[in-house]
C-alpha cells in the first residue's frame, strides 16, 4: 500500500471562494479519491491563510477584527467545499494554536541553524500579493500580477538567507527531475534561481496580525513564511514524529502558477535550512480565465461555485472544471462552454446510455439484468483501455485525460448499442447478453468516473442494482470485466442530467 499526501494552497480569507479556488481543490479532491480507490493511504489537506496585511485591511473595511473576519470567511470556504463534495481529511487555519506552535518551532530551527539575520529593508511592496518586488519585476511600475500601483515599505526585518541556498537548490533540481511539474514550470523556477537569489524578509513590525517571532517579540512572521508551514502543521511537525515521518517528504503540493517562486524556490530552501527534506513533488496548474482574464476581486469577474452548483448540480460543476481546463494550462471558463459540455457529455452521452439501458431492462427483461463472463469484444477491450488510460492520466496529474478515456468508452458503448439494436430484439438470452454487457460497462465506467463525479456514479450503481458504495470498491480488481457475478435489479428513473437550455 502506498501513501499519498496531497495539498492545495491555503486560501486568503480576504475574499469569498470563487471557482479558481474550487478548481485546484477539485483537482486535489479527485486525485485523493483516485488514490483511495487504489487502496492507498491518503491524507488530503486544504485550509485558509488568515494572517497578513491584506486580511487585516479587509477586516477594517468591514468594521470587524481580523479574527472575526477570518472566522466568517474561513467558514465560507468550509461550506463551499462541503457543497462541492470535497473529501479533505483536515482543514487547516493559520490562526489555530497548533499552527502557531509549528511556525514557531520550524522557524526557530532555521534561526538556530544560522539562516536568519536582522537587517534594514526598504522596497516596493504589493499588498495584494503580500510581497516585495524589485524594480525590474514591476510592469510599468505596477505589480506584475495585479497590474496596480505598488507602495514603498521600510522596515527592520529578519531575513531568510536565500542567497546562500542557490547551490543546494540547483543540486536538488538536478537530482530530482520530476520534483516540479510540468517541465515548463520547472524551467521557470530554475531560471529564477539561476538569475540570482536575494535574501527575503520573513518578519514584519508594521502589523501585529501574525504569529509572534519567538526570539523577538517586536516582530510577527511575514504571511508567506507563516503560510507555507501549514503543510507541516497538519502532519504534526515537532509534536508527533511518527505522524510527521509517515507523511514527509512524500507530499504532492498542487499550486497555481502565480505562486511558483514561493513554493518552488523559497519553500524547498526553507525546508533544507530547517534540516528536513524538501517536498517530493509540486504540480503547477494554470489559471481559470473569465473573458480571457484571471478572476480577481479588483476586476469584479469572480464566479461563485455556489451559484454554479445551484444551476447545474455539483457533479456537473466538478466535471466541467476538470474536463474543460487541462491541469497545467490556462483555460477560459464560460457559461456557454459549461452548458454545451453539460448537454453533450452528461445529458446526451452518459445520461442517454444509462436511460436507454435501464429502460430496456425494465421494459423487456422484468427489471433484471444478467452479467456474463465473456463480454462483447469491443466493450471488453474498451474497458481495458479506459482503465489503463485512467491509471496513467491520474499518475500524471491529468484529470481531463482520465475523463477523455471514460467518454471514449461511453462512445463505444453507445455505438455498440446502436449496432446491436436491442430494442428490436425479442426477450430471451440474446437480449439478456446485449444488455448485460452494457450494464457491466456502466458498472465499470461509474467506478472510473467516481473521483470526479461521486454522486452521479453512486446513483448509476444504485440504478443498475450494484450493492454498496463505490468508495468501498478497489482498483484495479473491481474494474475487471465480470468481477461482479450478479443479477442486476435495475431501476429506470428520470434523466440523470436533464437537458438544459440557456
Ligand atoms: N494564500 C496564498 C497561498 C499560500 S499556500 C502556502 C494564496 N492564496 S490565494 O487565495 O490567492 O490563491 C490560492 C490558489 O487559488 C492559487 O494558487 C490557485 O491554486 C487558486 N486560484 C486562485 N485564483 C485562480 C484562478 N483564477 N484560476 C485557477 N486557480 C486560481 O495565494
Amino acid at each position: 500500500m502506498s501513501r499519498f499526501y496531497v495539498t492545495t494552497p491555503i486560501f486568503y480569507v480576504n475574499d469569498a471562494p470563487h471557482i479558481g479556488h474550487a478548481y485546484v481543490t477539485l483537482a486535489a479532491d479527485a486525485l485523493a479519491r483516485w488514490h483511495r480507490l487504489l487502496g492507498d493511504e491518503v491524507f488530503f489537506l486544504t485550509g485558509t491563510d488568515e494572517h497578513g496585511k491584506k486580511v487585516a485591511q479587509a477586516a477594517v473595511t468591514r468594521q470587524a477584527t481580523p479574527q472575526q473576519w477570518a472566522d466568517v470567511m474561513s467558514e465560507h470556504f468550509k461550506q463551499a467545499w462541503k457543497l462541492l463534495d470535497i473529501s479533505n481529511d483536515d482543514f487547516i487555519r493559520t490562526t489555530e494554536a497548533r499552527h502557531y506552535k509549528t511556525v514557531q518551532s520550524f522557524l526557530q530551527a532555521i534561526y538556530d541553524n544560522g539562516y536568519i539575520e536582522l537587517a534594514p529593508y526598504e522596497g516596493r511592496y504589493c499588498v495584494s500579493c503580500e510581497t516585495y518586488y524589485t524594480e525590474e519585476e514591476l510592469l510599468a511600475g505596477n505589480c506584475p500580477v495585479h497590474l496596480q500601483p505598488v507602495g514603498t515599505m521600510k522596515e527592520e526585518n529578519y531575513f531568510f538567507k536565500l542567497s546562500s541556498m542557490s547551490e543546494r537548490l540547483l543540486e536538488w533540481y538536478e537530482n530530482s527531475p520530476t520534483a516540479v511539474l510540468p517541465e515548463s514550470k520547472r524551467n521557470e523556477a530554475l531560471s529564477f534561481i539561476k538569475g540570482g537569489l536575494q535574501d527575503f524578509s520573513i518578519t514584519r513590525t508594521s502589523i501585529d496580525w501574525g504569529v509572534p517571532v519567538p526570539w523577538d517579540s517586536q516582530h510577527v512572521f511575514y504571511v508567506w513564511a507563516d503560510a507555507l508551514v501549514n503543510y507541516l502543521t497538519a502532519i504534526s511537525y515537532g509534536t508527533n514524529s511518527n505522524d510527521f515521518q509517515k507523511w514527509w517528504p512524500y507530499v504532492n503540493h498542487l499550486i497555481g502558477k502565480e505562486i511558483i517562486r514561493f513554493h518552488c524556490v523559497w519553500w524547498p530552501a526553507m525546508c533544507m535550512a530547517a534540516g528536513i527534506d524538501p517536498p517530493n513533488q509540486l504540480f503547477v496548474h494554470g489559471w481559470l480565465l473569465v473573458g480571457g482574464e484571471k478572476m480577481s476581486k479588483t476586476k469584479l469577474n469572480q464566479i461563485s461555485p455556489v451559484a454554479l452548483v445551484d444551476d447545474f448540480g455539483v457533479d456537473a460543476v466538478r466535471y466541467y472544471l476538470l474536463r474543460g481546463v487541462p491541469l497545467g494550462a490556462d483555460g477560459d471558463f464560460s457559461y456557454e462552454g459549461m452548458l454545451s459540455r453539460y448537454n453533450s457529455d452528461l445529458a446526451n452521452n452518459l445520461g442517454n446510455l444509462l436511460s436507454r439501458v435501464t429502460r430496456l431492462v425494465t421494459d423487456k427483461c422484468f427489471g433484471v439484468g444478467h452479467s456474463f463472463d465473456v463480454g462483447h469484444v469491443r466493450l471488453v477491450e474498451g474497458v481495458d483501455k479506459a482503465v489503463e488510460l485512467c491509471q496513467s492520466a491520474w499518475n500524471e496529474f491529468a484529470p481531463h485525460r482520465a475523463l477523455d478515456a471514460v467518454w471514449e468508452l461511453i462512445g463505444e458503448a453507445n455505438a455498440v448499442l446502436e449496432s446491436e439494436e436491442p430494442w428490436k430484439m425479442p426477450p430471451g438470452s440474446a437480449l439478456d447478453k446485449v444488455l448485460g454487457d452494457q450494464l457491466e460497462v456502466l458498472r465499470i465506467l461509474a467506478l472510473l468516473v467516481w473521483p470526479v463525479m461521486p454522486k452521479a456514479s453512486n446513483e448509476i450503481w444504485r440504478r443498475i442494482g450494484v450493492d454498496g458504495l463505490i468508495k468501498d470498491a478497489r482498483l484495479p480488481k473491481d474494474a475487471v470485466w465480470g468481477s461482479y457475478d450478479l443479477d442486476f435489479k435495475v431501476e429506470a428513473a428520470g434523466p440523470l442530467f436533464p437537458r438544459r437550455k440557456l
Side-chain angles (χ1 to χ4, degrees):
M1 186 168 70
S2 312
R3 289 192 183 127
F4 187 72
Y5 174 23
V6 64
T7 68
T8 70
I10 49 172
F11 305 103
Y12 287 130
V13 288
N14 60 317
D15 212 356
H18 60 63
I19 56 168
H21 305 130
Y23 177 61
V24 61
T25 312
L26 284 173
D29 182 65
L31 276 160
R33 286 174 182 271
W34 174 260
H35 281 268
R36 290 192 194 110
L37 278 185
L38 294 180
D40 290 349
E41 200 175 353
V42 171
F43 186 59
F44 167 22
L45 177 68
T46 186
T48 41
D49 190 354
E50 306 186 3
H51 290 128
K53 207 165 186 152
K54 190 151 63 159
V55 173
Q57 280 181 352
V60 169
T61 60
R62 270 104 183 162
Q63 281 142 23
T65 63
Q67 186 66 60
Q68 285 167 336
W69 176 241
D71 288 347
V72 170
M73 295 307 290
S74 186
E75 196 52 37
H76 281 315
F77 277 91
K78 283 188 180 161
Q79 291 307 323
W81 295 169
K82 199 167 162 199
L83 183 74
L84 285 171
D85 277 337
I86 302 299
S87 62
N88 51 300
D89 297 294
D90 194 354
F91 188 100
I92 179 121
R93 299 185 54 191
T94 54
T95 49
E96 288 174 78
R98 60 172 174 159
H99 184 63
Y100 274 56
K101 248 193 191 155
T102 308
V103 169
Q104 290 179 329
S105 63
F106 180 74
L107 281 136
Q108 182 75 53
I110 301 181
Y111 185 67
D112 294 345
N113 290 343
Y115 289 100
I116 291 175
E117 68 183 7
L118 191 64
Y121 191 74
E122 180 169 358
R124 310 300 302 278
Y125 193 84
C126 172
V127 175
S128 298
C129 293
E130 293 281 13
T131 195
Y132 285 103
Y133 282 102
T134 61
E135 291 296 338
E136 301 80 68
E137 285 169 329
L138 298 177
L139 290 179
N142 289 330
C143 160
V145 174
H146 296 90
L147 305 175
Q148 58 193 11
V150 291
T152 299
M153 196 140 106
K154 193 173 176 183
E155 296 181 276
E156 179 153 79
N157 288 335
Y158 286 95
F159 279 73
F160 175 66
K161 297 202 243 170
L162 186 66
S163 57
S164 68
M165 304 298 288
S166 304
E167 291 299 308
R168 287 180 70 183
L169 280 171
L170 288 172
E171 194 182 301
W172 176 61
Y173 270 87
E174 174 91 359
N175 293 337
S176 22
T178 56
V180 176
L181 291 171
E183 198 171 342
S184 59
K185 301 296 192 246
R186 169 190 157 83
N187 291 338
E188 199 177 317
L190 259 175
S191 67
F192 187 76
I193 300 168
K194 287 178 181 159
L197 295 176
Q198 293 181 2
D199 297 347
F200 66 89
S201 126
I202 53 160
T203 66
R204 298 283 181 269
T205 50
S206 52
I207 54 167
D208 57 8
W209 181 234
V211 180
V213 173
W215 62 86
D216 185 340
S217 60
Q218 300 301 306
H219 293 250
V220 296
F221 284 113
Y222 162 55
V223 60
W224 271 101
D226 153 352
L228 288 162
V229 184
N230 88 85
Y231 304 130
L232 302 179
T233 303
I235 52 165
S236 313
Y237 169 93
T239 53
N240 179 336
S241 61
N242 283 344
D243 201 18
F244 178 67
Q245 275 159 18
K246 174 171 170 189
W247 297 110
W248 196 264
Y250 319 105
V251 66
N252 296 272
H253 293 310
L254 294 189
I255 59 160
K257 66 178 185 178
E258 77 287 4
I259 52 178
I260 288 185
R261 176 161 46 138
F262 308 109
H263 279 85
C264 305
V265 182
W266 291 13
W267 180 230
M270 288 167 72
C271 290
M272 291 172 189
I276 63 170
D277 286 330
N280 241 22
Q281 194 158 57
L282 296 119
F283 190 93
V284 184
H285 69 82
W287 287 339
L288 273 189
L289 308 172
V290 174
E293 296 202 80
K294 183 172 188 260
M295 261 169 289
S296 82
K297 206 166 150 182
T298 41
K299 292 190 193 113
L300 289 175
N301 61 353
Q302 297 174 328
I303 297 171
S304 147
V306 180
L308 272 187
V309 168
D310 272 357
D311 245 11
F312 287 95
V314 57
D315 280 346
V317 174
R318 292 176 61 104
Y319 174 79
Y320 176 64
L321 291 182
L322 294 180
R323 179 107 194 247
V325 182
L327 216 54
D330 286 354
D332 240 309
F333 173 89
S334 76
Y335 193 86
E336 293 75 12
M338 163 127 206
L339 187 70
S340 135
R341 275 228 177 255
Y342 176 92
N343 280 334
S344 67
D345 301 359
L346 300 180
N348 279 0
N349 301 339
L350 173 59
N352 274 352
L353 178 66
L354 178 71
S355 301
R356 290 206 288 183
V357 172
T358 51
R359 172 73 46 213
L360 283 163
V361 179
T362 48
D363 285 357
K364 300 182 83 161
C365 313
F366 306 102
V368 179
H370 303 282
S371 59
F372 293 82
D373 285 347
V374 182
H376 187 295
V377 66
R378 272 175 71 183
L379 296 178
V380 175
E381 281 175 13
V383 161
D384 287 349
K385 188 170 159 206
V387 172
E388 207 180 301
L389 289 173
C390 280
Q391 259 157 351
S392 64
W394 288 111
N395 277 343
E396 290 156 30
F397 296 82
H400 69 288
R401 279 191 5 234
L403 292 168
D404 288 347
V406 177
W407 259 258
E408 205 173 304
L409 175 61
I410 294 172
E412 196 64 14
N414 273 317
V416 169
L417 206 57
E418 287 297 327
S419 75
E420 297 198 309
E421 300 184 310
W423 42 88
K424 293 187 181 162
M425 295 168 78
S429 60
L431 177 64
D432 285 350
K433 170 78 174 73
V434 169
L435 294 176
D437 284 354
Q438 292 288 343
L439 289 168
E440 186 60 352
V441 172
L442 280 163
R443 182 185 70 78
I444 295 171
L445 75 84
L447 185 55
L448 295 178
V449 93
W450 178 78
V452 177
M453 304 204 298
K455 280 203 169 72
S457 302
N458 277 319
E459 177 61 10
I460 294 174
W461 268 31
R462 196 192 66 74
R463 288 191 191 184
I464 66 172
V466 182
D467 269 345
L469 293 173
I470 297 183
K471 73 176 175 50
D472 302 320
R474 286 294 163 264
L475 288 175
K477 81 175 170 55
D478 292 327
V480 171
W481 190 278
S483 53
Y484 269 62
D485 189 15
L486 287 175
D487 287 339
F488 297 91
K489 304 236 170 5
V490 174
E491 176 190 317
L496 194 56
F497 296 100
R499 277 191 74 77
R500 298 184 57 98
K501 294 204 179 83
L502 249 191

